[in-house]
Amino acid sequence: MTSQATPMIRLDELTKTYRGQPHPAVDRVSMDMPRGEIIVLVGPSGCGKTTTMELINRLIEPTSGRIYLDGDDVTRADPDSLRRRIGYVIQQIGLFPHFTVAENIATVPKLLGWDKKKIGDRVDELLDMVGMDPSEFRGRYPKQLSGGQRQRIGVARAMAADPPVMLMDEPFGAIDPITRDRLQNEFLRLQQQVQKTIVFVTHDIDEAIKLGDRIAILGERSQIAQYDTPANILASPASPYVADFIGAGASLKRLHLSQVSSVELDTGCVTARIDGDAEQARERLRASERAALLLLDADGRPQRWVDAGDLSSTDLFKAGEPVGAVVESTSTLSEALNAMLTSNSGVAVVIDRSGAFQGLLDFETVMVAARSERDFYRAAKVPS
Amino acid sequence: MDFYEYLVDNAEPLSQEALDHIVVVGISVGIALVLGCALGVLAHRSPRLRPPILAVSATLLTIPSLALFAMFIPLLGLGTPPAVVALVLYALLPIVRNTVVGLGSVDQSVLRAARGMGMGSWRRFLRIELPLAWPVVLTGVRVSTQVVVGIAAIAALVNGPGLGNEIFRGLRSLGSPFALNLVLGGTLGIVVVALLFDAFFIALRRLTTARGIR
């Protein structure tokens, strides 16, 4: 068997029974988790999803069954050295308040006996990776950080010794919705770089759909109701329980699965520099068939919408209307749709990571994408 | 002779007694810190042992000091040893109680994260639990010291060292012109010793509390 074919994590008939309880909390769960994927365990509270996850790093000892990590049976391995091979992030993050950011991140490397120089370099590398300036944040204490920053440090700390596997227990659960969205996007971008095998626990099906390469929907006693890709689960729920858990609006949820960059953008939009010549801009607008023109700043970032009338105004910085719905090309179609609805415009302005204008996304395109995906999944399900 | 003249004339014996006082209190609180921390950790870890440990250390504090000092005479004779033993017993309760409270107030998620990263139980205790509980433990030590500075005066009854001797000399010579000066001198000395200890603990707290939790 090649190492590619060996699942990174294999649970074999894993069971946990607590003393004095009639039913096991986790009942003979078997699962293969392929390497490099995000596997989301999702289910109602009390279904045993966290217990299942904590069986993997043996924070909870299984009553019976086996756990394999990269092909090795680790059911009886030394738990401390096992845990140093597995990154661990929890909802409360649990940063050590009396350690600096750098000391927090260095925890596992220090346990593994790395030398000082290597630890220092790794800390800086990780801070860069999570988008925090090392020279500014290295010496700070957790109480001097915002919630989102603490969460990033929690992730950096878990990745410090470059473990092949990470366990994440509702890591974004206690964060406000706007920051959560941003952190989720960052997390996906990070995962593209690092390609870890990640076991992710959440009770939020939308989060599961957005983040998971594979989703395991768990029922009572951690029984797997369905274990498949988000697209397949949305297209054909295996049971009424799964359908119920996904809830209404499966078509809308499918929009979580596609990024803005996956659809064709309208790039025919007329643009002009906001500090440029208004007369010239008016000429170009007249020459096109468009009704409005998008003003960009010197770095190509979208600023305002103006029509032909607005262009006669002397001060372009105050002409027309500010752009409403702006989304990054890595956002999901669902986020784009949401932005359009909240800004009350039928079109979203798409920007790249640096904030520069890329194109326009209209309502119609989103609807077509939603419909075609549905047809696509239907077609895939037709027995041949 | 007014009180001020008395102080000037007796500066040397008074400061010697004050030093003795400080030493006996320091030794007693030091022993109580080690013992109290150990008992506190035990009480924190074992829910079964917690009630008896707290009950016994609380009861010790209710024994009248005169009786407690006298109780150890048959075993340890007169002088410093019975004084220290009795003072250790009085100092225990605040330290034990604060150790239990301090350890209990450590954020569980912090400990869970430490465990999940593969930190062994010993290291977890020394690197995480104890430093985080330390400010609360230290407050207990400070309270203990204040209690014991006062009670140590009574140690003079069993020939123990310290400023209590001054007070008891005054009480024995009641009616003589020096009685009031002696009692006042001893009392004032104890107040000064108590203030010195407090200043010491404020400094110690600053020095030994990790910056992130100050």
Side-chain angles (χ1 to χ4, degrees):
Chain A
M1 214 192 285
T2 67
S3 74
Q4 274 305 308
T6 321
M8 193 66 222
I9 303 167
R10 163 169 280 173
L11 309 182
D12 183 20
E13 299 268 295
L14 211 52
T15 300
K16 175 67 191 180
T17 311
Y18 286 105
R19 227 185 311 168
Q21 294 202 342
H23 299 294
V26 174
D27 195 3
R28 282 175 300 156
V29 170
S30 297
M31 235 174 149
D32 279 3
M33 304 181 177
R35 68 189 58 231
E37 291 196 2
I38 301 177
I39 293 95
V40 182
L41 306 179
V42 61
S45 38
C47 74
K49 51 192 189 297
T50 296
T51 309
T52 306
M53 193 189 82
E54 290 185 338
L55 286 166
I56 298 174
N57 67 354
R58 308 245 313 277
L59 280 175
I60 298 172
E61 291 288 350
T63 313
S64 67
R66 310 234 135 247
I67 308 151
Y68 298 89
L69 192 71
D70 204 6
D72 299 336
D73 184 349
V74 294
T75 325
R76 294 276 167 271
D78 170 53
D80 280 335
S81 47
L82 172 71
R83 287 172 200 148
R84 291 170 199 175
R85 290 166 62 194
I86 302 177
Y88 184 55
V89 183
I90 54 179
Q91 181 180 340
Q92 308 84 345
I93 310 168
L95 292 182
F96 306 134
H98 57 312
F99 284 11
T100 61
V101 163
E103 288 167 335
N104 264 289
I105 296 177
T107 307
V108 178
K110 243 182 223 160
L111 291 172
L112 294 172
W114 291 15
D115 67 58
K116 261 199 167 138
K117 169 95 179 63
K118 192 176 167 195
I119 292 178
D121 291 346
R122 181 66 180 154
V123 166
D124 289 358
E125 184 189 359
L126 283 160
L127 281 171
D128 271 329
M129 209 191 263
V130 297
M132 290 168 74
D133 179 12
S135 59
E136 187 185 346
F137 287 101
R138 215 187 281 126
R140 289 220 193 157
Y141 285 96
K143 69 173 180 192
Q144 300 166 312
L145 303 176
S146 71
Q149 289 169 338
R150 270 180 223 167
Q151 213 286 331
R152 288 191 186 96
I153 299 302
V155 172
R157 181 174 71 171
M159 294 200 308
D162 205 17
V165 173
M166 307 245 291
L167 307 181
M168 307 181 88
D169 188 2
E170 307 222 16
F172 308 122
I175 291 169
D176 68 275
I178 296 168
T179 313
R180 176 164 58 221
D181 230 35
R182 211 177 53 228
L183 287 173
Q184 286 171 341
N185 292 343
E186 265 172 34
F187 171 67
L188 286 175
R189 210 144 51 204
L190 198 62
Q191 164 67 356
Q192 272 179 354
Q193 279 177 49
V194 296
Q195 302 276 321
K196 305 276 182 204
T197 308
I198 296 171
V199 184
F200 192 107
V201 164
T202 180
H203 63 268
D204 177 359
I205 184 71
D206 291 318
E207 183 171 62
I209 291 166
K210 180 172 177 185
L211 300 180
D213 294 307
R214 250 165 240 267
I215 299 178
I217 296 185
L218 304 180
E220 246 172 71
R221 283 172 282 142
S222 221
Q223 293 299 292
I224 300 172
Q226 189 167 9
Y227 180 37
D228 210 331
T229 61
N232 286 344
I233 288 178
L234 286 174
S236 53
S239 65
Y241 172 79
V242 175
D244 196 38
F245 194 76
I246 299 168
S251 320
L252 270 177
K253 288 198 170 101
R254 229 168 269 139
L255 292 175
H256 284 296
L257 294 173
S258 320
Q259 290 193 343
V260 169
S261 57
S262 70
V263 299
E264 206 171 317
L265 300 179
D266 168 13
T267 50
C269 170
V270 185
T271 61
R273 285 277 294 273
I274 196 163
D275 50 355
D277 179 36
E279 194 48 49
Q280 226 173 1
R282 189 150 44 173
E283 267 323 301
R284 297 207 1 239
L285 183 58
R286 202 172 296 142
S288 75
E289 288 169 4
R290 303 287 174 136
L293 177 148
L294 186 62
L295 291 172
L296 310 177
D297 70 3
D299 295 320
R301 287 191 287 254
Q303 301 293 315
R304 305 185 80 81
W305 281 114
V306 287
D307 61 19
D310 297 327
L311 280 171
S312 55
S313 140
T314 46
D315 185 4
L316 286 185
F317 286 92
K318 283 184 185 144
E321 283 171 34
V323 292
V326 181
V327 291
E328 274 192 42
S329 57
T330 51
S331 308
T332 62
L333 287 180
S334 157
E335 284 160 352
L337 184 62
N338 204 14
M340 287 181 208
L341 292 174
T342 28
S343 75
N344 216 352
S345 68
V347 63
V349 177
V350 181
I351 55 173
D352 63 16
R353 273 195 73 184
S354 67
F357 174 66
Q358 282 205 316
L360 298 179
L361 176 67
D362 60 24
F363 206 72
E364 198 57 28
T365 314
V366 176
M367 294 332 288
V368 169
R371 211 174 302 134
S372 65
E373 251 174 68
R374 189 166 54 205
D375 295 343
F376 174 75
Y377 293 125
R378 279 234 180 90
K381 291 286 148 189
V382 173
S384 54
Chain B
M1 179 159 49
D2 67 8
F3 182 54
Y4 179 74
E5 275 173 54
Y6 166 80
L7 280 185
V8 174
D9 286 355
N10 292 280
E12 206 182 316
L14 265 175
S15 48
Q16 183 56 47
E17 275 172 342
L19 198 66
D20 291 347
H21 205 96
I22 288 173
V23 169
V24 79
V25 169
I27 291 173
S28 308
V29 172
I31 296 173
L33 172 62
V34 175
L35 212 62
C37 266
L39 285 171
V41 171
L42 205 63
H44 171 71
R45 295 272 168 100
S46 157
R48 269 228 321 253
L49 288 178
R50 190 174 313 156
I53 288 177
L54 288 177
V56 169
S57 39
T59 311
L60 285 173
L61 205 56
T62 65
I63 301 176
S65 41
L66 268 169
L68 193 64
F69 278 113
M71 245 159 57
F72 290 106
I73 298 175
L75 284 169
L76 301 164
L78 291 169
T80 308
V84 168
V85 171
L87 292 180
V88 166
L89 294 182
Y90 278 122
L92 274 182
L93 178 68
I95 297 176
V96 173
R97 166 104 21 116
N98 276 41
T99 305
V100 173
V101 170
L103 291 174
S105 66
V106 174
D107 187 350
Q108 281 307 303
S109 65
V110 167
L111 292 174
R112 189 167 155 229
R115 212 171 133 235
M117 286 191 290
M119 214 183 253
S121 59
W122 234 154
R123 204 187 296 255
R124 225 156 50 222
F125 177 70
L126 288 178
R127 298 278 289 144
I128 312 292
E129 278 189 283
L130 201 56
L132 289 178
W134 181 245
V136 182
V137 176
L138 199 61
T139 305
V141 179
R142 192 172 155 189
V143 172
S144 281
T145 307
Q146 283 164 342
V147 168
V148 165
V149 164
I151 294 178
I154 305 186
L157 213 69
V158 291
N159 274 1
L163 289 160
N165 290 304
E166 195 83 0
I167 298 174
F168 278 106
R169 265 201 302 277
L171 288 178
R172 273 196 299 268
S173 55
L174 223 55
S176 82
F178 305 114
L180 188 61
N181 281 345
L182 285 164
V183 172
L184 268 179
T187 309
L188 188 73
I190 287 172
V191 171
V192 171
V193 167
L195 289 174
L196 283 176
F197 267 115
D198 231 35
F200 168 74
F201 277 112
I202 290 170
L204 191 66
R205 193 187 157 105
R206 277 204 74 78
L207 282 174
T208 57
T209 304
R211 266 184 60 207
I213 52 173
R214 230 183 257 159

